[in-house]
Amino acid sequence: MFFVNCLKIISILCSIVGGTFLIPLGVAIYYDEPSTYLPLIIPMAVTLVVMLAVNIPTRKTKVKLSIRQTFAIVALSWIAISILGSFPLYFSGAYPSYTDAFFESVSGFTTTGCTVCPSVEDLPHSINMLRCLTHWLGGMGVVTLTVAMLPLLGVGGFQLIKAETTGPEKGKVTARITTTAKVLWLIYTGFTLVETALLFWAGMSFDDALAHSFSTLGTGGFSSKNASIGGFNSPAIDIIISVFMLIAGINFSLYYYLITRKFNDIFSNSEFKSYIAIVVICTIAITLCVIPVYENIGTGLRYSFFQVLAIITTTGFGTADYILWPSTAQFFLFILFFIGGCSGSTGGGFKVVRWVVLWKQFKNEVKRILHPHGVFTVRLNNKVGRKDIVFSVAAFLTAYFLLIAVTTFVGCIGKLDITTAFTGAVSMVGNVGPAFGSLGPSENYAALSGFVKYWYCFAMIAGRLELYTMILFFTPAFWKK
């Protein structure tokens, strides 16, 4: 039964992802890029045929999933879509090796945004659109999209979404999980359309505006310019993308509360308030540090605000090479690598709410030293939090930095210097994209060995799925009954 359920769900998910290839196919036709026609059409056709062949004979079979099956299906689904996304990249000839094509696909769907392409401006327009589209699909979650479109998954749908979404606490904003998934995707799509219109107004071509909206709302970072957003050299574009990166880094449930006028739920949200505070404080601090570089506080503020949001939301766009900034400015950006966006956002990283929990627990421990008989609890959103959330966050912190340590060691094996290996590991696990050293914002990942690239692929998927899904999937004990 597990095999049937697994095949049903993954075939549906892949056919949905394959169906979205119509967007880059339209771009290929518009720009007359015949080399990408078949590489886009064949995966669409194959996934559709496989989905029909699997689901028509089993259409009356109800999907019931155990916790073990849920984790396995989500892990396999993300591996499957990464393979699916690599086919057009490789068979179009845009990438010289399958390893590079797979790495780029994983980087896209996990919204990491690191590239192995030395010149993205030389890629076909349709391939650039596909790269950015993978960000948009992976940002809100392909499993969440599948549940939104297919109510038949029922209770199993909620289990699948829990295994894919980010943050220590996962719940529904509406009574039905399929309605929740639809609401989130509608909000997500609405923001994407608004940003596309604004970027088009600001001077981008329509396909560039759409592609960069995909990258921004998905907090990915792929661009059609080698110099990223800096290649457009437009203050208006910088500001628009900055605002939408800020939006993408916020828990999307809060937008539903905004629509339904539940303002208290927004302004009492501990994570939201902390996120805004971190952005404001770091922007001011970095602006003060880079004033000597730009000799203009307005320009310094523009670049600082953009780069703070690019790192904390793990989007990874660039308008300036922060490696050339003063070390004090780099310090604040380095700290942001470890923070990440809000839970329930499309941003990656450790998540703001986990740091909030740890900070509150730290203060409680200090109070407990002074008042040994006192009773202290962690309060989130003006409510007493569950006691087990502290243990959950502590365990996640351990796993998070353990994976960073192992990934750093793999980078060192691949002949990276320790600074590059460590910041690269933080970037991969946190789905940030750029790092420091030879993997900085003006560099790419092409020179890495095949072994390091495949390990980075594992780290990126593990980071996107909050570690446990992929760690369990590759643990032998997981497969024992």
Side-chain angles (χ1 to χ4, degrees):
M1 182 58 71
F2 165 70
F3 180 76
V4 173
N5 288 339
C6 184
L7 206 56
K8 279 171 64 72
I9 294 172
I10 293 177
S11 65
I12 292 171
L13 188 147
C14 286
S15 67
I16 291 173
V17 172
T20 65
F21 288 3
L22 285 169
I23 297 174
L25 180 61
V27 173
I29 293 171
Y30 179 80
Y31 284 102
D32 189 23
E33 297 172 341
S35 64
T36 64
Y37 290 172
L38 287 179
L40 288 166
I41 292 172
I42 291 175
M44 281 193 290
V46 170
T47 54
L48 179 61
V49 170
V50 171
M51 186 273 291
L52 293 175
V54 171
N55 283 271
I56 289 178
T58 61
R59 62 187 180 278
K60 294 182 180 180
T61 304
K62 292 184 178 180
V63 176
K64 293 182 180 180
L65 303 175
S66 66
I67 294 176
R68 188 190 302 268
Q69 291 172 347
T70 298
F71 281 110
I73 287 174
V74 171
L76 287 169
S77 295
W78 276 78
I79 294 171
I81 62 170
S82 297
I83 294 171
L84 176 63
S86 69
F87 288 155
L89 302 179
Y90 179 62
F91 289 108
S92 65
Y95 290 80
S97 70
Y98 181 76
T99 297
D100 283 354
F102 183 72
F103 182 94
E104 197 85 353
S105 179
V106 171
S107 178
F109 281 111
T110 60
T111 74
T112 306
C114 53
T115 184
V116 292
C117 183
S119 178
V120 295
E121 293 178 16
D122 294 334
L123 295 175
H125 292 84
S126 52
I127 293 300
N128 265 326
M129 178 62 76
L130 175 62
R131 293 166 71 243
C132 297
L133 176 63
T134 59
H135 281 335
W136 192 71
L137 293 170
M140 186 57 68
V142 288
V143 173
T144 304
L145 176 61
T146 303
V147 171
M149 298 179 69
L150 294 167
L152 63 89
L153 293 180
V155 177
F158 183 47
Q159 294 173 347
L160 289 167
I161 287 180
K162 284 179 67 179
E164 182 185 54
T165 51
T166 59
E169 293 192 303
K170 304 162 187 182
K172 310 173 187 178
V173 296
T174 64
R176 292 174 58 84
I177 189 59
T178 51
T179 305
T180 294
K182 287 175 183 175
V183 166
L184 295 177
W185 266 95
L186 283 172
I187 294 171
Y188 188 51
T189 303
F191 279 135
T192 305
L193 295 176
V194 172
E195 186 186 359
T196 301
L198 289 173
L199 289 176
F200 182 67
W201 167 81
M204 280 190 181
S205 64
F206 177 75
D207 58 303
D208 265 346
L210 181 61
H212 285 85
S213 295
F214 285 159
S215 289
T216 305
L217 269 303
T219 62
F222 280 156
S223 174
S224 59
K225 298 287 187 181
N226 291 331
S228 189
I229 304 304
F232 293 98
N233 194 28
S234 166
I237 288 174
D238 289 359
I239 293 169
I240 291 167
I241 289 180
S242 295
V243 169
F244 280 92
M245 283 194 292
L246 179 70
I247 288 170
I250 295 171
N251 189 329
F252 272 72
S253 298
L254 298 187
Y255 299 122
Y256 176 75
Y257 296 146
L258 181 64
I259 294 169
T260 54
R261 303 176 66 84
K262 295 180 180 178
F263 301 121
N264 287 336
D265 290 332
I266 298 173
F267 296 114
S268 65
N269 188 277
S270 304
E271 182 181 38
F272 172 69
K273 291 186 289 186
S274 299
Y275 170 72
I276 297 299
I278 292 168
V279 170
V280 171
I281 292 170
C282 288
T283 298
I284 293 172
I286 293 175
T287 300
L288 294 175
C289 294
V290 300
I291 286 177
V293 177
Y294 297 106
E295 299 180 347
N296 182 302
I297 192 168
T299 304
L301 179 61
R302 166 188 156 197
Y303 287 122
S304 299
F305 184 55
F306 187 98
Q307 210 58 60
V308 163
L309 287 164
I311 299 300
I312 192 172
T313 64
T314 71
T315 306
F317 279 142
T319 52
D321 188 350
Y322 55 75
I323 299 297
L324 304 177
W325 284 359
S327 57
T328 48
Q330 292 183 43
F331 166 79
F332 287 102
L333 290 178
F334 180 71
I335 295 299
L336 293 176
F337 270 76
F338 295 91
I339 295 176
C342 297
S343 60
S345 72
T346 59
F350 189 75
K351 299 296 181 297
V352 174
V353 70
R354 291 193 174 97
W355 289 118
V356 171
V357 169
L358 290 173
W359 173 248
K360 288 179 178 289
Q361 182 61 22
F362 167 74
K363 291 196 297 182
N364 284 345
E365 291 301 321
V366 172
K367 292 176 183 177
R368 190 171 285 111
I369 293 172
L370 297 174
H371 307 284
H373 301 294
V375 177
F376 307 101
T377 58
V378 172
R379 295 183 64 87
L380 288 175
N381 309 333
N382 291 334
K383 299 176 183 177
V384 176
R386 301 192 328 264
K387 291 182 179 180
D388 62 337
I389 193 172
V390 177
F391 301 114
S392 173
V393 171
F396 185 85
L397 179 70
T398 302
Y400 193 82
F401 282 97
L402 180 61
L403 182 57
I404 287 175
V406 174
T407 304
T408 300
F409 179 66
V410 170
C412 291
I413 293 175
K415 301 188 185 322
L416 295 176
D417 63 87
I418 187 63
T419 299
T420 302
F422 176 66
T423 57
V426 174
S427 184
M428 294 300 97
V429 178
N431 303 132
V432 180
F436 285 82
S438 61
L439 297 179
S442 61
E443 307 295 335
N444 62 67
Y445 287 66
L448 297 177
S449 67
F451 170 71
V452 174
K453 286 176 182 174
Y454 279 113
W455 179 264
Y456 276 10
C457 287
F458 167 78
M460 285 189 281
I461 298 176
R464 173 59 184 82
L465 298 180
E466 300 269 271
L467 306 189
Y468 293 121
T469 299
M470 289 300 287
I471 291 174
L472 286 171
F473 183 76
F474 285 101
T475 301
F478 175 78
W479 299 100
K480 296 178 181 178
K481 293 185 179 180

